[in-house]
């Protein structure tokens, strides 16, 4: 059973594993119901959205489920992101893919997400990508307005550098509670470039997208005999082993797992607290890196 964790000193509590919603538009209604109920039955109560997922369709798909399961709203934490404008038949007014972190767009995006999700509030709103034209004071005003209106409880960012994070935080009257970044065994630079150290110093738990490194990396990993031997040692799948490797880091990472398979959700929830021997952790890093640490 997955436990809860306070991701910062702000008080926001998320499940230690979150479930990403970027592919739920591919599921039939009964498949989605099974997926979400499997997650909830295993303690995964945090669901990660973005307005653009499924070419602007996934929030509405979840909203149909939410409408039929309103009694579960108090059990779950809804996270969504905004700031990217895609080229999409669902947004014919967009001429080019671009970013928009204006106050007007942030507020409009949240209001649309609330309508699509069939909820009155988001537990957490993230700016999806840093915008080279972002005005942090305008963004802070948007956050303050959404907080005051009760539409969003907590705020954070995604894919921000340390300097970008600090810049926005300096303009806000309320703390930023997380930075959702890409980290995995196969994308491990944030372990060494100061990104995780920076959040750790601020006592902020990072959320992490693509924690298994994507389908190609995990397929390649499954084919590696050394990783399979380690998975056998701990009686877990290679996918769970790669997730466990990430969770060994002391930063208190909250991985956003992307599987649409209820069995894999249950497996991750059952095995995520497994502890690796230190030398096995570094052996996995060597396998992924192709060489030992310096």
């Amino acid at each position: 059973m997955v436990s809860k964790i306070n991701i910062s000193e702000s008080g926001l509590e998320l499940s230690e594993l979150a479930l990403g919603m970027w592919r739920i538009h591919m599921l039939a209604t009964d498949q989605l119901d099974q997926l979400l109920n499997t997650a909830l039955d295993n303690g995964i109560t945090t669901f990660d959205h973005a307005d653009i997922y499924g070419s602007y369709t996934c929030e509405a798909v979840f909203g149909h489920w939410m409408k039929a399961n309103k009694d579960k709203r108090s059990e779950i934490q809804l996270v969504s992101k905004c700031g990217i404008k895609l080229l999409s038949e669902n947004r014919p007014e967009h001429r080019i893919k671009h970013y928009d972190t204006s106050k007007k767009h942030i507020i409009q995006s949240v209001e649309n997400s609330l309508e699509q999700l069939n909820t009155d509030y988001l537990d957490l709103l993230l700016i999806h990508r840093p915008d080279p034209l972002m005005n942090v004071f305008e963004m802070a005003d948007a956050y303050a307005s959404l907080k005051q209106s009760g539409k969003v409880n907590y705020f954070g960012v995604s894919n921000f550098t340390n300097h970008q994070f600090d810049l926005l935080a300096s303009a806000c009257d309320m703390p930023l509670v997380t930075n959702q970044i890409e980290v995995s065994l196969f994308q491990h630079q944030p372990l060494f470039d100061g990104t995780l150290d920076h959040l750790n110093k601020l006592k902020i738990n990072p959320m992490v997208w693509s924690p298994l490194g994507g389908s190609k990396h995990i397929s390649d990993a499954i084919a590696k005999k050394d990783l399979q031997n380690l998975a056998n040692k701990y009686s877990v799948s290679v996918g769970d082993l790669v997730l466990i490797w990430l969770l060994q880091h002391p930063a208190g990472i909250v991985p956003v797992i992307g599987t649409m398979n209820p069995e894999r959700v249950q497996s991750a929830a059952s095995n995520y607290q497994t502890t690796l021997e230190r030398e096995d952790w570094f052996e996995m890093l060597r396998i992924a890196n192709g060489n030992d640490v310096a």
Side-chain angles (χ1 to χ4, degrees):
M1 178 68 73
V2 175
S3 301
K4 297 290 193 301
I5 187 171
N6 284 312
I7 67 166
S8 75
E9 295 181 329
S10 66
L12 175 60
E13 192 175 63
L14 303 181
S15 53
E16 289 187 302
L17 300 179
L19 188 61
M21 300 284 98
W22 58 85
R23 291 185 291 174
I24 60 171
H25 63 299
M26 301 166 61
L27 300 179
T29 300
D30 60 333
Q31 292 174 317
L32 178 63
D33 190 62
Q34 183 184 7
L35 176 71
L36 297 181
N37 281 308
T38 298
L40 291 172
D41 290 345
N42 285 277
I44 300 175
T45 58
T46 301
F47 300 114
D48 182 77
H49 292 269
D51 56 353
I52 62 171
Y53 287 165
S55 194
Y56 298 96
T57 64
C58 286
E59 288 185 326
V61 171
F62 187 92
H64 288 305
W65 181 86
M66 193 76 258
K67 187 175 183 179
N69 293 273
K70 286 188 177 295
D71 58 316
K72 296 182 179 178
R73 179 63 183 96
S74 61
E75 300 176 38
I76 68 178
Q77 302 83 49
L78 291 180
V79 181
S80 195
K81 298 178 283 294
C82 70
I84 300 175
K85 288 186 170 180
L86 291 183
L87 286 177
S88 168
E89 62 182 11
N90 296 312
R91 295 292 188 276
E93 68 276 15
H94 295 174
R95 293 188 295 107
I96 187 172
K97 182 181 178 182
H98 63 289
Y99 303 142
D100 189 346
T101 54
S102 64
K103 178 179 179 179
K104 178 181 178 181
H105 178 69
I106 292 171
I107 290 175
Q108 285 180 342
S109 293
V110 168
E111 290 174 344
N112 186 63
S113 290
L114 295 180
E115 181 179 356
Q116 298 300 310
L117 290 166
N118 265 304
T119 187
D120 296 327
Y121 66 96
L122 294 176
D123 295 274
L124 175 60
L125 173 69
L126 308 177
I127 298 299
H128 207 156
R129 292 273 177 182
D131 173 7
L133 296 179
M134 65 185 182
N135 180 322
V136 293
F137 300 104
E138 188 175 346
M139 294 163 70
D141 283 345
Y143 279 6
S145 176
L146 290 166
K147 177 71 172 179
Q148 185 176 17
S149 64
K151 295 175 181 177
V152 181
N153 289 341
Y154 294 93
F155 302 88
V157 296
S158 181
N159 302 298
F160 273 48
T161 67
N162 296 344
H163 291 301
Q164 291 163 341
F165 185 97
D166 289 344
L167 178 62
L168 179 56
S170 71
C172 294
D173 292 331
M174 63 202 77
L176 301 179
V177 302
T178 196
N179 188 6
Q180 186 178 126
I181 55 178
E182 182 183 9
V183 190
S184 71
L185 176 62
F186 311 101
Q187 179 68 26
H188 51 255
Q189 290 89 340
L191 279 69
F192 298 97
D193 67 9
T195 302
L196 292 181
D197 300 330
H198 178 255
L199 294 170
N200 211 357
K201 178 182 177 182
L202 297 173
K203 299 181 179 179
I204 291 172
N205 296 65
M207 297 182 74
V208 164
W209 59 273
S210 197
L212 301 188
S215 58
K216 182 183 185 305
H217 277 307
I218 201 62
S219 295
D220 291 345
I222 291 170
K224 291 181 184 293
K225 184 178 179 180
D226 289 344
L227 281 179
Q228 188 62 64
N229 289 339
L230 283 171
N232 293 340
K233 175 179 178 177
Y234 291 96
S235 300
V236 299
S237 68
V238 172
D240 285 350
L241 182 73
V242 172
L243 184 65
I244 292 162
W245 181 91
L246 185 65
L247 288 165
Q248 197 100 352
H249 194 277
I253 288 167
V254 177
V256 181
I257 59 176
T259 182
M260 297 289 98
N261 185 330
E263 291 181 1
R264 292 179 184 167
V265 170
Q266 187 163 3
S267 178
S270 298
N271 295 314
Y272 83 102
Q273 290 182 313
T274 302
T275 300
L276 302 178
E277 295 177 14
R278 182 177 287 259
E279 288 190 5
D280 289 338
W281 191 94
F282 279 95
E283 182 178 356
M284 291 178 65
L285 182 61
R286 177 186 60 78
I287 292 168
N289 231 4
N291 52 266
D292 291 324
V293 292

